[in-house]
mmCIF file of all heavy atoms in Angstrom:
data_model
loop_
_atom_site.group_PDB
_atom_site.id
_atom_site.type_symbol
_atom_site.label_atom_id
_atom_site.label_comp_id
_atom_site.label_asym_id
_atom_site.label_seq_id
_atom_site.Cartn_x
_atom_site.Cartn_y
_atom_site.Cartn_z
ATOM 1 N N VAL A 37 102.791 133.690 181.872
ATOM 2 C CA VAL A 37 102.628 132.453 181.277
ATOM 3 C C VAL A 37 101.476 131.700 182.009
ATOM 4 O O VAL A 37 101.636 131.366 183.198
ATOM 5 C CB VAL A 37 103.854 131.649 181.278
ATOM 6 C CG1 VAL A 37 103.697 130.253 180.815
ATOM 7 C CG2 VAL A 37 104.986 132.266 180.487
ATOM 8 N N GLN A 38 100.450 131.394 181.256
ATOM 9 C CA GLN A 38 99.359 130.636 181.830
ATOM 10 C C GLN A 38 99.131 129.366 180.924
ATOM 11 O O GLN A 38 99.807 128.346 181.070
ATOM 12 C CB GLN A 38 98.112 131.473 181.901
ATOM 13 C CG GLN A 38 98.268 132.569 183.049
ATOM 14 C CD GLN A 38 97.015 133.415 183.208
ATOM 15 O OE1 GLN A 38 97.158 134.571 183.312
ATOM 16 N NE2 GLN A 38 95.866 132.891 183.287
ATOM 17 N N HIS A 39 98.189 129.485 179.999
ATOM 18 C CA HIS A 39 97.953 128.285 179.141
ATOM 19 C C HIS A 39 98.302 128.397 177.675
ATOM 20 O O HIS A 39 98.344 127.498 176.990
ATOM 21 C CB HIS A 39 96.503 127.909 179.245
ATOM 22 C CG HIS A 39 95.539 128.822 178.554
ATOM 23 N ND1 HIS A 39 95.143 130.099 178.971
ATOM 24 C CD2 HIS A 39 94.931 128.704 177.361
ATOM 25 C CE1 HIS A 39 94.326 130.666 178.155
ATOM 26 N NE2 HIS A 39 94.242 129.805 177.140
ATOM 27 N N LYS A 40 98.524 129.685 177.245
ATOM 28 C CA LYS A 40 98.792 129.887 175.812
ATOM 29 C C LYS A 40 100.127 129.317 175.450
ATOM 30 O O LYS A 40 101.086 129.503 176.232
ATOM 31 C CB LYS A 40 98.732 131.331 175.455
ATOM 32 C CG LYS A 40 97.367 131.988 175.557
ATOM 33 C CD LYS A 40 97.320 133.496 175.122
ATOM 34 C CE LYS A 40 95.981 133.975 175.280
ATOM 35 N NZ LYS A 40 95.958 135.435 174.936
ATOM 36 N N PRO A 41 100.197 128.667 174.369
ATOM 37 C CA PRO A 41 101.506 128.071 173.873
ATOM 38 C C PRO A 41 102.565 129.234 173.507
ATOM 39 O O PRO A 41 102.163 130.308 173.204
ATOM 40 C CB PRO A 41 101.208 127.325 172.717
ATOM 41 C CG PRO A 41 100.006 127.931 172.029
ATOM 42 C CD PRO A 41 99.238 128.463 173.271
ATOM 43 N N ASN A 72 104.179 127.305 187.806
ATOM 44 C CA ASN A 72 103.090 126.984 186.989
ATOM 45 C C ASN A 72 101.807 127.305 187.756
ATOM 46 O O ASN A 72 101.679 126.872 188.952
ATOM 47 C CB ASN A 72 103.097 125.417 186.673
ATOM 48 C CG ASN A 72 101.902 124.896 185.812
ATOM 49 O OD1 ASN A 72 100.852 125.564 185.783
ATOM 50 N ND2 ASN A 72 102.175 123.817 185.176
ATOM 51 N N TRP A 73 100.975 128.121 187.259
ATOM 52 C CA TRP A 73 99.743 128.627 187.975
ATOM 53 C C TRP A 73 98.877 127.388 188.519
ATOM 54 O O TRP A 73 98.127 127.562 189.390
ATOM 55 C CB TRP A 73 98.872 129.525 187.153
ATOM 56 C CG TRP A 73 99.573 130.861 186.968
ATOM 57 C CD1 TRP A 73 100.023 131.370 185.817
ATOM 58 C CD2 TRP A 73 99.517 131.886 187.934
ATOM 59 N NE1 TRP A 73 100.495 132.654 186.084
ATOM 60 C CE2 TRP A 73 100.134 133.031 187.359
ATOM 61 C CE3 TRP A 73 99.073 131.991 189.267
ATOM 62 C CZ2 TRP A 73 100.291 134.175 188.023
ATOM 63 C CZ3 TRP A 73 99.219 133.188 189.896
ATOM 64 C CH2 TRP A 73 99.880 134.324 189.361
ATOM 65 N N LYS A 74 99.111 126.209 187.871
ATOM 66 C CA LYS A 74 98.250 125.089 188.212
ATOM 67 C C LYS A 74 98.371 124.739 189.672
ATOM 68 O O LYS A 74 97.405 124.281 190.257
ATOM 69 C CB LYS A 74 98.708 123.815 187.372
ATOM 70 C CG LYS A 74 97.823 122.645 187.480
ATOM 71 C CD LYS A 74 98.351 121.514 186.549
ATOM 72 C CE LYS A 74 98.153 121.831 185.056
ATOM 73 N NZ LYS A 74 98.387 120.660 184.237
ATOM 74 N N VAL A 75 99.516 124.939 190.299
ATOM 75 C CA VAL A 75 99.678 124.559 191.683
ATOM 76 C C VAL A 75 98.788 125.364 192.650
ATOM 77 O O VAL A 75 98.631 125.013 193.755
ATOM 78 C CB VAL A 75 101.165 124.583 192.132
ATOM 79 C CG1 VAL A 75 101.988 123.605 191.399
ATOM 80 C CG2 VAL A 75 101.731 125.993 192.131
ATOM 81 N N MET A 76 98.328 126.489 192.188
ATOM 82 C CA MET A 76 97.466 127.359 193.018
ATOM 83 C C MET A 76 95.949 127.223 192.665
ATOM 84 O O MET A 76 95.100 127.875 193.301
ATOM 85 C CB MET A 76 97.938 128.778 192.922
ATOM 86 C CG MET A 76 99.243 129.011 193.654
ATOM 87 S SD MET A 76 99.910 130.697 193.476
ATOM 88 C CE MET A 76 100.874 130.448 192.013
ATOM 89 N N ALA A 77 95.600 126.443 191.671
ATOM 90 C CA ALA A 77 94.231 126.372 191.227
ATOM 91 C C ALA A 77 93.384 125.446 192.094
ATOM 92 O O ALA A 77 92.152 125.548 191.939
ATOM 93 C CB ALA A 77 94.279 125.873 189.818
ATOM 94 N N GLY A 78 93.934 124.659 192.923
ATOM 95 C CA GLY A 78 93.091 123.888 193.715
ATOM 96 C C GLY A 78 92.305 122.867 192.905
ATOM 97 O O GLY A 78 92.830 122.245 191.918
ATOM 98 N N LYS A 79 91.009 122.718 193.184
ATOM 99 C CA LYS A 79 90.151 121.769 192.503
ATOM 100 C C LYS A 79 89.320 122.531 191.384
ATOM 101 O O LYS A 79 88.390 121.913 190.848
ATOM 102 C CB LYS A 79 89.294 121.035 193.484
ATOM 103 C CG LYS A 79 90.041 120.174 194.445
ATOM 104 C CD LYS A 79 89.220 119.447 195.270
ATOM 105 C CE LYS A 79 90.175 118.626 196.319
ATOM 106 N NZ LYS A 79 89.553 117.628 196.957
ATOM 107 N N ASN A 80 89.727 123.672 191.072
ATOM 108 C CA ASN A 80 88.945 124.463 190.043
ATOM 109 C C ASN A 80 89.194 123.924 188.654
ATOM 110 O O ASN A 80 90.319 123.429 188.345
ATOM 111 C CB ASN A 80 89.289 125.922 190.124
ATOM 112 C CG ASN A 80 88.992 126.556 191.521
ATOM 113 O OD1 ASN A 80 87.795 126.457 191.902
ATOM 114 N ND2 ASN A 80 89.931 127.082 192.181
ATOM 115 N N ASP A 81 88.250 124.220 187.799
ATOM 116 C CA ASP A 81 88.469 123.767 186.276
ATOM 117 C C ASP A 81 89.190 124.889 185.601
ATOM 118 O O ASP A 81 89.842 124.685 184.618
ATOM 119 C CB ASP A 81 87.037 123.539 185.735
ATOM 120 C CG ASP A 81 86.536 122.245 186.213
ATOM 121 O OD1 ASP A 81 87.224 121.262 186.597
ATOM 122 O OD2 ASP A 81 85.251 122.105 186.247
ATOM 123 N N THR A 82 88.947 126.134 186.098
ATOM 124 C CA THR A 82 89.675 127.253 185.504
ATOM 125 C C THR A 82 90.359 128.048 186.558
ATOM 126 O O THR A 82 89.867 128.003 187.696
ATOM 127 C CB THR A 82 88.604 128.190 184.711
ATOM 128 O OG1 THR A 82 87.710 128.710 185.613
ATOM 129 C CG2 THR A 82 88.048 127.508 183.560
ATOM 130 N N TYR A 83 91.448 128.780 186.306
ATOM 131 C CA TYR A 83 92.093 129.599 187.303
ATOM 132 C C TYR A 83 92.763 130.819 186.543
ATOM 133 O O TYR A 83 93.273 130.640 185.393
ATOM 134 C CB TYR A 83 93.268 128.737 187.947
ATOM 135 C CG TYR A 83 93.973 129.515 189.030
ATOM 136 C CD1 TYR A 83 93.289 129.761 190.229
ATOM 137 C CD2 TYR A 83 95.217 130.069 188.898
ATOM 138 C CE1 TYR A 83 93.843 130.449 191.271
ATOM 139 C CE2 TYR A 83 95.787 130.779 189.902
ATOM 140 C CZ TYR A 83 95.159 130.928 191.036
ATOM 141 O OH TYR A 83 95.738 131.616 192.098
ATOM 142 N N ARG A 84 92.358 132.016 187.007
ATOM 143 C CA ARG A 84 92.793 133.182 186.265
ATOM 144 C C ARG A 84 92.404 133.255 184.776
ATOM 145 O O ARG A 84 93.174 133.701 183.984
ATOM 146 C CB ARG A 84 94.293 133.426 186.514
ATOM 147 C CG ARG A 84 94.782 133.504 187.956
ATOM 148 C CD ARG A 84 96.220 133.624 188.102
ATOM 149 N NE ARG A 84 96.852 134.628 187.262
ATOM 150 C CZ ARG A 84 97.175 135.873 187.779
ATOM 151 N NH1 ARG A 84 96.872 136.164 189.112
ATOM 152 N NH2 ARG A 84 97.715 136.755 187.062
ATOM 153 N N GLY A 85 91.220 132.727 184.554
ATOM 154 C CA GLY A 85 90.659 132.800 183.152
ATOM 155 C C GLY A 85 91.244 131.703 182.244
ATOM 156 O O GLY A 85 90.963 131.736 181.018
ATOM 157 N N SER A 86 92.065 130.738 182.761
ATOM 158 C CA SER A 86 92.665 129.676 181.879
ATOM 159 C C SER A 86 92.137 128.308 182.313
ATOM 160 O O SER A 86 91.999 128.122 183.532
ATOM 161 C CB SER A 86 94.187 129.803 182.018
ATOM 162 O OG SER A 86 94.679 130.955 181.556
ATOM 163 N N PRO A 87 92.096 127.325 181.326
ATOM 164 C CA PRO A 87 91.669 126.016 181.705
ATOM 165 C C PRO A 87 92.869 125.393 182.533
ATOM 166 O O PRO A 87 94.019 125.410 182.117
ATOM 167 C CB PRO A 87 91.545 125.325 180.472
ATOM 168 C CG PRO A 87 91.436 126.415 179.369
ATOM 169 C CD PRO A 87 92.055 127.611 179.928
ATOM 170 N N VAL A 88 92.565 124.894 183.758
ATOM 171 C CA VAL A 88 93.594 124.418 184.677
ATOM 172 C C VAL A 88 94.353 123.274 183.942
ATOM 173 O O VAL A 88 95.611 123.207 184.023
ATOM 174 C CB VAL A 88 93.052 123.944 186.053
ATOM 175 C CG1 VAL A 88 94.026 123.094 186.768
ATOM 176 C CG2 VAL A 88 92.494 125.062 186.735
ATOM 177 N N SER A 89 93.721 122.465 183.195
ATOM 178 C CA SER A 89 94.362 121.360 182.488
ATOM 179 C C SER A 89 95.432 121.781 181.540
ATOM 180 O O SER A 89 96.344 121.041 181.109
ATOM 181 C CB SER A 89 93.404 120.459 181.759
ATOM 182 O OG SER A 89 92.657 121.259 180.719
ATOM 183 N N GLU A 90 95.415 123.033 181.025
ATOM 184 C CA GLU A 90 96.300 123.580 180.024
ATOM 185 C C GLU A 90 97.398 124.488 180.709
ATOM 186 O O GLU A 90 98.236 124.974 179.939
ATOM 187 C CB GLU A 90 95.528 124.346 178.959
ATOM 188 C CG GLU A 90 94.654 123.477 178.161
ATOM 189 C CD GLU A 90 93.851 124.237 177.154
ATOM 190 O OE1 GLU A 90 94.257 125.341 176.716
ATOM 191 O OE2 GLU A 90 92.710 123.750 176.735
ATOM 192 N N LEU A 91 97.276 124.867 182.004
ATOM 193 C CA LEU A 91 98.306 125.675 182.577
ATOM 194 C C LEU A 91 99.641 125.012 182.538
ATOM 195 O O LEU A 91 99.743 123.777 182.690
ATOM 196 C CB LEU A 91 97.915 126.043 184.061
ATOM 197 C CG LEU A 91 96.694 126.908 184.193
ATOM 198 C CD1 LEU A 91 96.288 126.953 185.689
ATOM 199 C CD2 LEU A 91 96.881 128.226 183.654
ATOM 200 N N ARG A 92 100.749 125.730 182.344
ATOM 201 C CA ARG A 92 102.151 125.179 182.186
ATOM 202 C C ARG A 92 103.172 126.087 182.748
ATOM 203 O O ARG A 92 102.823 127.244 183.172
ATOM 204 C CB ARG A 92 102.245 125.102 180.685
ATOM 205 C CG ARG A 92 102.302 126.451 179.928
ATOM 206 C CD ARG A 92 102.553 126.195 178.381
ATOM 207 N NE ARG A 92 102.642 127.522 177.781
ATOM 208 C CZ ARG A 92 103.712 128.338 177.728
ATOM 209 N NH1 ARG A 92 104.871 128.009 178.402
ATOM 210 N NH2 ARG A 92 103.741 129.482 177.077
ATOM 211 N N PHE A 93 104.330 125.498 182.814
ATOM 212 C CA PHE A 93 105.556 126.253 183.142
ATOM 213 C C PHE A 93 106.009 127.056 182.050
ATOM 214 O O PHE A 93 105.757 126.718 180.773
ATOM 215 C CB PHE A 93 106.621 125.250 183.598
ATOM 216 C CG PHE A 93 106.562 124.614 184.892
ATOM 217 C CD1 PHE A 93 106.082 123.321 184.994
ATOM 218 C CD2 PHE A 93 106.847 125.335 186.031
ATOM 219 C CE1 PHE A 93 105.912 122.750 186.242
ATOM 220 C CE2 PHE A 93 106.660 124.758 187.299
ATOM 221 C CZ PHE A 93 106.285 123.425 187.404
#
Side-chain angles (χ1 to χ4, degrees):
V37 173
Q38 289 181 227
H39 74 283
K40 292 182 180 178
N72 181 336
W73 286 107
K74 190 180 287 189
V75 299
M76 291 177 266
K79 296 181 184 201
N80 297 305
D81 291 330
T82 60
Y83 187 72
R84 299 175 55 95
S86 297
V88 170
S89 63
E90 297 177 24
L91 293 171
R92 64 179 182 79
F93 284 102

